[in-house]
Amino acid sequence: MQEYYNLCSQVQFILTRKEEYKSDFMFSLYIIIGTMPAVIVALFFKDQIEEIFSSVHTVSIALLVTGVALCLIRNLRGRKQDGDLKAKDAVIVGLAQAVALIPGISRSGATVISSIAVGMKQETALRFSFMLYIPISLGGLVMGASDIAGDPNRAQLAIPYLIAFITTLIVTYFSMRWFMGIMAKGNLKYFSYYCFLAGILLLIFM
């Protein structure tokens, strides 16, 4: 319902230019801006990234980087709401999403962490991160659809592919809400400890 209201507000701003609708319009514009870095990197460098970073050592280093990031932002409490965001905030979070194309780095974690780092409130960070996921996942769905278009079993693959997309969307939303709940209770340090331990063990034994 809230998303439907926001969409109506965006249309109203385009038609009327009334200030009361500007916040929702700008939030959507920042979602587009934040999506662009990952789109550009995926289009031009996806194969190279998978070739260079598809090793266990990459995953272990990514876990260590995630642990450091969690330590840095664990006590931050931002103040920025939807209407307080700037283009530079969207670019920074978008770059974090692009970095998450490296195997082992969580997209949701990277975008939420970077959103908190630029000063967003937890609720705004959650919403911005989730909304960033939608165009990226739709792009992945379109690319996947083009891959299976020539498959003789494409009719059988279409429904499972759509179900996987919807399921991932739902799981992403609730995972981020759970993550933000942990953050609100000040328990992020335990996740950082886990990332450090897992990363070190992978480096040693793999």
Side-chain angles (χ1 to χ4, degrees):
M1 183 64 70
Q2 179 66 34
E3 286 75 12
Y4 174 76
Y5 172 77
N6 291 342
L7 177 60
C8 291
S9 297
Q10 295 151 22
V11 175
Q12 288 285 352
F13 179 77
I14 294 173
L15 296 177
T16 67
R17 290 291 191 264
K18 290 184 178 179
E19 194 68 23
E20 61 190 282
Y21 304 121
K22 185 177 180 179
S23 176
D24 290 327
F25 175 80
M26 294 305 297
F27 187 83
S28 298
L29 179 61
Y30 293 146
I31 292 296
I32 295 173
I33 293 173
T35 301
M36 295 312 297
V39 170
I40 294 171
V41 172
L43 285 176
F44 294 102
F45 304 107
K46 184 175 183 294
D47 292 339
Q48 293 90 327
I49 290 173
E50 290 179 349
E51 180 179 349
I52 295 172
F53 297 105
S54 59
S55 68
V56 175
H57 282 85
T58 298
V59 176
S60 62
I61 293 172
L63 284 168
L64 294 175
V65 170
T66 302
V68 171
L70 289 171
C71 283
L72 292 175
I73 63 98
R74 69 184 187 279
N75 294 322
L76 294 182
R77 295 294 182 270
R79 296 182 178 180
K80 291 181 181 179
Q81 302 184 56
D82 293 5
D84 302 319
L85 302 184
K86 303 296 181 185
K88 65 177 182 180
D89 300 326
V91 171
I92 291 172
V93 179
L95 289 172
Q97 180 166 247
V99 171
L101 292 172
I102 296 175
I105 295 182
S106 164
R107 191 216 66 87
S108 299
T111 52
V112 170
I113 287 171
S114 57
S115 295
I116 294 294
V118 299
M120 294 187 201
K121 294 181 65 175
Q122 291 184 3
E123 296 81 3
T124 303
L126 172 65
R127 184 160 52 252
F128 195 76
S129 177
F130 179 71
M131 294 302 292
L132 276 179
Y133 171 74
I134 295 176
I136 291 296
S137 60
L138 286 174
L141 184 66
V142 171
M143 293 179 67
S146 64
D147 290 337
I148 67 173
D151 194 301
N153 298 317
R154 57 182 177 274
Q156 290 81 3
L157 293 173
I159 296 301
Y161 214 84
L162 182 60
I163 292 174
F165 166 73
I166 295 174
T167 301
T168 303
L169 199 66
I170 294 172
V171 170
T172 297
Y173 175 75
F174 284 104
S175 295
M176 284 192 294
R177 290 200 66 89
W178 175 70
F179 179 77
M180 297 302 285
I182 295 295
M183 179 180 289
K185 295 177 181 177
N187 292 330
L188 275 183
K189 60 183 179 181
Y190 299 116
F191 281 97
S192 66
Y193 298 159
Y194 162 77
C195 289
F196 287 135
L197 179 61
I200 291 171
L201 289 176
L202 282 175
L203 282 174
I204 294 173
F205 296 106
M206 305 296 289

